[in-house]
Amino acid sequence: MKKNTKLLVISASIVALLGAALAAVLLIPSNNEELTLSDKNEILLFDKSGLIPEEISVSNSGGAYELLAFDTGEISRSRSSTVSAEESTETESQTESESEEDNDITLVYTMQDHPELRLDKNVTDDLVRQCLTQSAREIVDKSGSKYKEYGLEPAIANVRIRYSDGSFEELQLGNDAPGGEGIYMKTGSSRNVYLVQSSLANTFYIEKLQLFDKQVTPYIEDITRCTLSGENYSEDIEFRKNNYDCYDSYHVMTKPARYPCDTNMTNQLTSSLSELKAIWVADINVAKDDLQRFGLDKPYEKIYIEADNGLKFTLIASKPDKDKNFYLMNTADTTVFSTSMSESDWYGIKKTDLLYSSILTFNSDRVEKATIKAGEASYEFKYEKEEGLSSNYYKTELITVYCNGNKINSKGISTFLLNLTALTWTDTTVESTDGLKEILSVEIDYDADEDGKDTLVLLREPSGKTVAVLNGRAECYVDSAIADQLVSQTSLLSLGDELPSLLNDDGYSSQQTSEQASTQTTQQESE
């Protein structure tokens, strides 16, 4: 080998060795990158416990925002805004004295671009916790040349935090690691790529809109009026707090006609609308002219609420999509939300959902007069009520019943009126009642109500099906077997000996049940 060639080979070897040595030196952590282990034997990236993150700037796929902290001047025993991630996993059970020692000023965060809008405190509390301390499971790369592989060039999320002592932290967050082991993160100017537990940094990926408060409605203690309308309803449905003595229910439907409501169902509706929270924020500061974009210009559902504390609001909702999600909005606000039907007990509620299973139900103590017609027969029952004293000197009400002017045994009419409750809501697809034959008509007047009257008319179709018309409205089909039993019992109502029997749900009489009803009626008359 020639001398010049040997020199070239030696020079190249020296350069290669120097390059390798230089690379090795670069990969050695500097003094600022010396590794510190946390209590859990993880790599502690930083610990700002005890400080306040006064400014939090985040940029991710959902937009860029900056949060600013201010204190409310109130004292709170919650340490949610000043505890580290490790501390947050510890048990919260403390003695009263320990809690008093940990009192902190309650912090509230606002978004700089929209200070007038309230943020979701659960989200901001999580965000603050993740700003106070970060630790990594391991260093996955030190070369600084594979950032694209980890989703760090460009980063999926960039975070900059200014603390109350004037210090700063910067984070770059990348892809999810395979197998759900965590996410990739870079801090400050360090070349190292760390693997961080997802739960310690996942809030930084939340889109800007989802930081806003998702509460749609205020707290409702007691509904005094509720109206359901919109394209989903062929007619408005309204119920109010019950002021009628003829019904025992807490609420009474006033539109489309008057019916007593099932208290359990109206309470369920009230509960589902009180402090209603949506799943997502769809948009903020939405103008009225822009509601069409969400299908809210002509609401699929519209709910107007009045509460006993003077609270009033209107909720509008769109038609659900193929995934059963829909938009909703409180018209007193400009935020449009999105949520799921599975999370909304109030959505799609029908009139029959709010009613008792029985078509006609009433307080029998308030009956003053009952007029019953079946075919050519017509009966008018009048109740005379007189206060008296029992043998034990308790106030009682003595009831005398007259049928077409003749005094009768009240057991028969009492049983018949109770049998009316065997007619239940079923198919409500009645289209027309024109030309149908009337087989039974019942009109009940109440003694403690200005306009207290219920009318029930049963009509028979040529097919044999029976239609119930309640308070002047064709409501639904009813069991024809029960209807026939009621018609046949009318002939017994004016008799003193043979009495009608109570009906089972299948439309047949039960002697045992009838005897129980007779006993109850006797007790009522003797009281």
Side-chain angles (χ1 to χ4, degrees), residues 371-489:
T371 304
I372 300 170
K373 297 178 182 179
E376 298 299 323
S378 178
Y379 308 93
E380 183 177 86
F381 299 86
K382 289 187 177 180
Y383 290 67
E384 287 189 359
K385 302 177 182 181
E386 182 180 355
E387 289 187 357
L389 292 175
S390 68
S391 58
N392 296 326
Y393 299 100
Y394 288 105
K395 286 185 178 181
T396 62
E397 188 175 56
L398 302 177
I399 301 175
T400 305
V401 181
Y402 296 86
C403 177
N404 295 339
N406 299 315
K407 183 178 178 180
I408 64 166
N409 186 338
S410 65
K411 296 175 184 177
I413 183 60
S414 296
T415 301
F416 180 82
L417 293 179
L418 187 57
N419 283 340
L420 292 175
T421 64
L423 294 169
T424 58
W425 296 95
T426 53
D427 186 0
T428 58
T429 58
V430 179
E431 295 182 359
S432 175
T433 60
D434 294 342
L436 299 187
K437 179 182 178 181
E438 179 182 304
I439 62 172
L440 181 66
S441 170
V442 180
E443 183 176 290
I444 304 173
D445 291 81
Y446 305 104
D447 63 3
D449 192 351
E450 293 180 0
D451 57 347
K453 179 184 291 187
D454 281 322
T455 61
L456 176 65
V457 178
L458 301 184
L459 305 175
R460 182 60 52 84
E461 292 184 347
S463 64
K465 297 176 71 175
T466 304
V467 177
V469 180
L470 183 61
N471 294 335
R473 295 183 53 83
E475 294 296 355
C476 68
Y477 290 102
V478 295
D479 190 314
S480 292
I482 296 178
D484 290 339
Q485 287 286 327
L486 289 168
V487 171
S488 67
Q489 288 182 354

Side-chain angles (χ1 to χ4, degrees), residues 95-112:
T95 64
E96 185 69 18
S97 60
E98 290 173 333
S99 298
E100 291 176 356
E101 291 175 0
D102 290 333
N103 284 343
D104 291 307
I105 296 295
T106 300
L107 293 178
V108 174
Y109 284 82
T110 60
M111 192 174 292
Q112 187 179 37

Side-chain angles (χ1 to χ4, degrees), residues 361-372:
T361 181
F362 51 88
N363 185 348
S364 59
D365 293 339
R366 301 271 68 87
V367 175
E368 183 178 52
K369 185 173 72 171
T371 304
I372 300 170

Side-chain angles (χ1 to χ4, degrees), residues 290-347:
D290 203 23
L291 292 179
Q292 184 178 4
R293 181 159 55 99
F294 305 97
L296 294 173
D297 55 325
K298 297 178 180 179
Y300 183 69
E301 294 210 3
K302 184 176 182 179
I303 301 181
Y304 172 72
I305 292 290
E306 289 183 8
D308 61 353
N309 59 357
L311 175 71
K312 300 178 182 180
F313 68 85
T314 300
L315 185 68
I316 56 177
S318 69
K319 191 173 183 178
D321 60 20
K322 60 181 180 62
D323 297 319
K324 297 186 177 180
N325 297 323
F326 61 93
Y327 294 108
L328 70 157
M329 179 183 188
N330 187 328
T331 58
D333 198 0
T334 59
T335 301
V336 174
F337 303 90
S338 179
T339 197
S340 168
M341 288 181 64
S342 62
E343 299 291 328
S344 310
D345 292 341
W346 56 271
Y347 187 81

Side-chain angles (χ1 to χ4, degrees), residues 106-151:
T106 300
L107 293 178
V108 174
Y109 284 82
T110 60
M111 192 174 292
Q112 187 179 37
D113 294 344
H114 305 282
E116 75 284 0
L117 298 180
R118 189 171 62 234
L119 300 182
D120 188 327
K121 193 172 187 304
N122 290 330
V123 176
T124 56
D125 282 354
D126 286 342
L127 191 67
V128 168
R129 278 192 288 268
Q130 295 177 6
C131 287
L132 288 172
T133 183
Q134 282 292 331
S135 57
R137 291 179 171 177
E138 60 178 299
I139 300 175
V140 295
D141 186 74
K142 297 182 180 181
S143 67
S145 61
K146 299 180 181 180
Y147 293 152
K148 284 188 178 181
E149 296 180 20
Y150 299 109

